[in-house]
Amino acid sequence: MAYINIIPQIEASIDWNVVKRVEKFFIKVNERLLYKMGVLPTYSTGGDDALGIEVEYFHFNITGDDRMRYIGQNIVLQRDISRRNKLCNSIITHLYGGRCINSLLTGKTDPKEAILDFERINNDPKYVEWMYENAAYAKLHGFKFYGTTELHTSLQTAARNFCRIKYSDPTRAASNTDIVEWVAGFISSGLVDDILNADKLEEAYTLINSVQGIGAYYGYHLCVDSSLTPGTKFNHDEQFCVPGPGACHTLNMLFPTLKEKVKKMPYGDLIPWIESNQQKLYPNVPFDPALYNIENDHGDKMFPGFDQNKFMVYGLEVGHCQFGIYDRLSKNPSLIEKRKCGTDPDLTAIRLREEGTPVEPEELKLKKKQASNSSVCLLEF
């Protein structure tokens, strides 16, 4: 515990009014999810528009995070997928961030079938072409590949540059499938196996963060994603954390005088300290059995012998990050609308193509009709 020498300064710096606000936020986010799951019969915002049912916040419990639940239910608990493919299919959900990204890239609407074979991508051009076609069809129908709550520029640039080298084409344009090919390259470079064999979360983080373009934020979250692969030795509750900007904003609020006492804010130490003192700080936040674990039809659990019945280090990083967002929305209500996120996209167009009857989007039909009525046809699709 690196923070042990500054515990008196940490405790003396706490703003208990902010602690109460964070705890209330956690309670409401939890109630909202349990209502969506059907565990609670009702949910009330208490008149706070920033806590609206459509305003997106990631849950502080790893089993309550939509993306992590997707990984657990559809990827890592499947028995017939290699560990390499489990890891790679898991991390692209974060690198892209778009809902149903695996379905868009595979053309499969059943999430359990929407699994990319990353081990084929490195040496099977026909398989890569099949993926290109799936992505092109999805793009044509207006599906979004990237989430809107995180920046992807460095990832897209690194992936594009990887593909330019792979195809010996220095002017190759960026593609929505570049990230998949980039991640497949982690297998051929040996990185994936090194991550799977890591002993500690920090070791996995160092390995992932050695890749240009990943950065500290994605490095931390991807090593947690990797820990979900069965057989890994590390987990998300180790005393190691790399807080993102949102979490750091909240930590500055929670410990407003700490920086002047210790010169440099020990953000990475504060989250583990909060985990060790959770009963003192957030004693009223309940953990419902519905979120203790995730299991498949065979009874295999996402966290065998490791129920999620308390705050974990990773969840506290996420939770404090989300409070930072909530604090900003509360102070700037005009931003709330931009944070609203609907349900998963309607995959009807993907399903029809899967069934052998692909459809053209209305905009494309209109362009073709306009072109047929013109003496000159200059369309770019």
Side-chain angles (χ1 to χ4, degrees), residues 304-350:
F306 185 29
D307 280 349
Q308 308 299 294
N309 54 8
K310 69 175 186 68
F311 283 110
M312 306 287 176
V313 171
Y314 170 72
L316 283 166
E317 192 282 332
V318 172
H320 286 86
C321 172
Q322 299 306 293
F323 176 81
I325 295 167
Y326 165 74
D327 179 66
R328 185 177 178 219
L329 298 183
S330 297
K331 294 172 180 175
N332 302 276
S334 62
L335 300 176
I336 292 175
E337 194 65 31
K338 294 181 179 180
R339 186 71 188 186
K340 288 185 177 179
C341 184
T343 56
D344 289 343
D346 182 353
L347 295 178
T348 298
I350 306 297

Side-chain angles (χ1 to χ4, degrees), residues 210-224:
S210 68
V211 179
Q212 186 174 2
I214 295 290
Y217 171 81
Y218 281 104
Y220 179 62
H221 285 273
L222 295 186
C223 72
V224 171

Side-chain angles (χ1 to χ4, degrees), residues 16 24 46 71 73 76 90 102-103 127 129 146 153 168 181 209 239 248 252 261-262 264 270 295 303 344 361 363 372:
W16 288 100
K24 180 182 177 182
I71 290 173
Q73 293 165 341
V76 298
S90 296
N102 298 62
S103 288
Y127 186 79
E129 185 63 30
Y146 296 97
T153 307
S168 301
E181 297 196 66
N209 204 33
Q239 297 288 293
C248 291
N252 287 333
K261 292 182 173 69
V262 297
K264 183 179 180 181
L270 288 173
E295 60 180 75
F303 303 104
D344 289 343
E363 285 187 17
S372 66

Side-chain angles (χ1 to χ4, degrees), residues 46-343:
D48 188 343
D49 291 342
L51 290 171
I53 201 77
E54 294 181 348
V55 183
E56 185 166 50
Y57 298 110
F58 303 123
H59 199 276
F60 54 81
N61 192 329
I62 195 168
T63 56
D65 182 314
D66 285 349
R67 192 177 60 80
M68 294 300 197
R69 290 181 69 81
Y70 179 94
I71 290 173
Q73 293 165 341
N74 303 302
I75 300 174
V76 298
L77 289 179
Q78 288 210 57
R79 292 181 170 183
D80 57 347
I81 303 174
S82 72
R83 294 180 73 226
R84 289 173 172 175
N85 273 323
K86 287 181 179 181
L87 186 150
C88 292
N89 277 279
S90 296
I91 67 174
I92 65 164
T93 66
H94 211 141
L95 292 172
Y96 280 97
R99 291 173 180 264
C100 302
I101 183 62
N102 298 62
S103 288
L104 303 186
L105 293 168
T106 61
K108 305 288 186 181
T109 51
D110 182 344
K112 288 183 170 57
E113 294 182 5
I115 304 295
L116 284 167
D117 189 340
F118 283 82
E119 294 173 282
R120 287 182 65 184
I121 287 170
N122 287 321
N123 51 34
D124 189 340
K126 289 186 178 179
Y127 186 79
V128 174
E129 185 63 30
W130 167 80
M131 179 182 66
Y132 288 169
E133 292 172 358
N134 296 332
Y137 180 82
K139 180 181 179 181
L140 195 63
H141 282 268
F143 288 99
K144 305 299 182 185
F145 287 74
Y146 296 97
T148 58
T149 60
E150 298 161 321
L151 292 174
H152 301 85
T153 307
S154 66
L155 305 174
Q156 293 166 330
T157 300
R160 181 205 64 191
N161 291 342
F162 170 86
C163 288
R164 285 180 172 180
I165 294 171
K166 177 180 177 179
Y167 293 106
S168 301
D169 182 355
T171 62
R172 186 179 186 273
S175 164
N176 284 324
T177 57
D178 287 351
I179 284 180
V180 175
E181 297 196 66
W182 183 42
V183 171
F186 298 171
I187 294 178
S188 55
S189 72
L191 177 62
V192 166
D193 288 344
D194 288 343
I195 295 168
L196 290 172
N197 292 322
D199 292 316
K200 298 290 184 182
L201 190 68
E202 185 171 5
E203 180 186 349
Y205 168 80
T206 301
L207 288 165
I208 293 172
N209 204 33
S210 68
V211 179
Q212 186 174 2
I214 295 290
Y217 171 81
Y218 281 104
Y220 179 62
H221 285 273
L222 295 186
C223 72
V224 171
D225 293 345
S226 301
S227 76
L228 304 179
T229 306
T232 51
K233 302 172 189 175
F234 53 95
N235 67 69
H236 61 287
D237 196 36
E238 294 180 19
Q239 297 288 293
F240 171 74
C241 185
V242 184
C248 291
H249 170 79
T250 301
L251 293 173
N252 287 333
M253 295 174 64
L254 283 168
F255 307 98
T257 62
L258 181 58
K259 186 175 182 179
E260 62 190 53
K261 292 182 173 69
V262 297
K263 305 304 179 186
K264 183 179 180 181
M265 281 293 279
Y267 296 115
D269 294 331
L270 288 173
I271 294 293
W273 181 86
I274 292 172
E275 187 276 328
S276 297
N277 292 272
Q278 58 186 274
Q279 283 301 316
K280 184 189 300 184
L281 297 168
Y282 309 129
N284 299 309
V285 180
F287 284 79
D288 193 278
L291 296 175
Y292 280 4
N293 225 310
I294 294 174
E295 60 180 75
N296 63 14
D297 296 336
H298 303 287
D300 302 328
K301 291 186 176 182
M302 191 171 178
F303 303 104
F306 185 29
D307 280 349
Q308 308 299 294
N309 54 8
K310 69 175 186 68
F311 283 110
M312 306 287 176
V313 171
Y314 170 72
L316 283 166
E317 192 282 332
V318 172
H320 286 86
C321 172
Q322 299 306 293
F323 176 81
I325 295 167
Y326 165 74
D327 179 66
R328 185 177 178 219
L329 298 183
S330 297
K331 294 172 180 175
N332 302 276
S334 62
L335 300 176
I336 292 175
E337 194 65 31
K338 294 181 179 180
R339 186 71 188 186
K340 288 185 177 179
C341 184
T343 56

